[in-house]
Amino acid sequence: MSAGTAAPIARPVWGIVWLLASMVMLSVLDGTSKWIMAAGVPLLFLAWIRYAVHLVLVLALVVPARGWSIVRTRQPGRQFVRGALMFCATLSFFTTLSLLPQSEATAINFLAPLIVLAVSPWVLGEQPRMSRWVAAGVGFAGVLLIIRPGSGLPLAGVAAGLVTACLFAGQFVATRRIAGENPFTSLIWSGGVGTACLTLALPVLWSDAMAAIAQLSAGQILIMLSTGFSGALGHLFQIGAYRNAPASTLAPVLYLQIVTSTAMGWLVWRHFPDATTWLGIAVVCASGVTISLLEWRRGQRLRQVSGASTQSSH
């Protein structure tokens, strides 16, 4: 976010409220997507609906307030790469949702920020830190508890979940590389790349998709369309969160999405993780929250040292 577009970070409580609203919307997106795929709608067509409605809604909300200049980017190549990674991550996660319960699929996804921390010395040029590697290792151990033999989770779903985590990690790295862009510009581009790619595939998908939609009720069609609304609103609420509170404050709160996902999975599918799976989820969350707090404390110390050295230089 550039200095010219960023709102003052001064309302952390509102930031957390916006983030909780975002997590609810994204959990609704995941739950409704899983339900619509179970009703027979092809994955690629559902993804097209999700991205096309997302793009139309974001343009309708953002362009009247900020003008068409908000679509222009200084880094089209990096925006395309980020959009392509998000598109691939969406397809991979939808595949995971079609094979795994929502809570387990979401928990595996939380490997992504730990992967980013582990590889940051090589892909982001950051200083290597043992604490980050330990956190990533502990988080992976938690995932192993979730996907353990005897858990009943299909191997294909587990593999798709791990691929999704890696793709989301790549998306996070790509997002860091366009940090100076207006977040609304990035949101439009992410919707645009996915819509464009899937629109090219529509001629191949159309007949099967129309046959599946013909079997849906009016309510199911509305729920299918709602995936674009819940996805777009989830990301817009996320932007609101980060415009009101620093990332270090919000990072530990992100792990509450496992709670909202589990609640959604229980409401729709009556699925509730067993005790060992909850232990694995707790390990993943604990590793993520702990390293988030350590990174926050390290950032605080660096700012204090930097402030002291600045004062002494005067």
Side-chain angles (χ1 to χ4, degrees):
M1 189 182 302
S2 63
T5 58
I9 295 175
R11 298 182 293 179
V13 173
W14 276 109
I16 291 172
V17 169
W18 280 115
L19 187 62
L20 290 173
S22 168
M23 289 188 289
V24 170
M25 295 308 301
L26 294 176
S27 294
V28 168
L29 164 65
D30 297 342
T32 52
S33 298
K34 181 177 175 68
W35 191 63
I36 288 298
M37 285 188 289
V41 175
L43 181 152
L44 289 176
F45 186 76
L46 174 62
W48 179 75
I49 291 288
R50 180 255 183 275
Y51 273 104
V53 175
H54 164 116
L55 179 61
V56 170
L57 180 62
V58 171
L59 287 173
L61 291 174
V62 175
V63 170
R66 296 175 177 262
W68 282 103
S69 62
I70 195 68
V71 178
R72 290 197 294 270
T73 174
R74 300 184 301 274
Q75 305 174 81
R78 290 185 175 183
Q79 287 283 10
F80 180 82
V81 169
R82 179 184 177 274
L85 284 167
M86 182 175 173
F87 164 62
C88 292
T90 299
L91 294 185
S92 183
F93 187 55
F94 278 8
T95 301
T96 306
L97 282 172
S98 70
L99 298 169
L100 298 184
Q102 187 173 344
S103 53
E104 282 85 338
T106 302
I108 295 172
N109 263 357
F110 276 104
L111 269 180
L114 297 172
I115 292 172
V116 173
L117 286 175
V119 303
S120 60
W122 297 280
V123 299
L124 293 171
E126 296 180 355
Q127 182 180 352
R129 295 193 177 101
M130 182 60 69
S131 59
R132 294 178 173 183
W133 295 334
V134 170
V138 171
F140 187 69
V143 169
L144 290 179
L145 281 173
I146 297 169
I147 65 177
R148 69 197 180 279
S151 64
L153 301 179
L155 181 60
V158 170
L162 294 173
V163 169
T164 301
C166 292
L167 287 168
F168 273 125
Q171 179 190 324
F172 295 158
V173 171
T175 301
R176 291 277 292 274
R177 295 187 185 281
I178 56 167
E181 290 273 38
N182 189 300
F184 292 112
T185 303
S186 299
L187 189 61
I188 292 169
W189 270 75
S190 60
V193 171
T195 302
C197 291
L198 288 162
T199 299
L200 292 175
L202 270 185
V204 178
L205 304 173
W206 194 255
S207 59
D208 289 343
M210 291 302 102
I213 290 173
Q215 305 302 313
L216 300 181
S217 66
Q220 288 173 315
I221 291 174
L222 285 175
I223 289 173
M224 180 180 67
L225 294 173
S226 78
T227 59
F229 284 90
S230 55
L233 290 177
H235 287 288
L236 285 169
F237 292 164
Q238 207 170 68
I239 289 173
Y242 286 98
R243 289 172 72 86
N244 282 280
S248 56
T249 299
L250 298 176
V253 183
L254 282 170
Y255 290 85
L256 287 176
Q257 188 173 346
I258 292 180
V259 176
T260 59
S261 292
T262 301
M264 187 71 185
W266 183 82
L267 287 171
V268 177
W269 305 99
R270 290 296 186 267
H271 170 80
F272 198 77
D274 61 23
T276 306
T277 300
W278 269 118
L279 176 61
I281 290 173
V283 170
V284 174
C285 292
S287 64
V289 170
T290 301
I291 192 61
S292 296
L293 294 174
L294 287 174
E295 292 290 315
W296 175 78
R297 288 181 61 188
R298 184 179 291 116
Q300 290 288 94
R301 288 197 301 269
L302 288 174
R303 280 189 287 272
Q304 289 171 0
V305 170
S306 175
S309 63
T310 301
Q311 291 176 0
S312 64
S313 67
H314 292 293

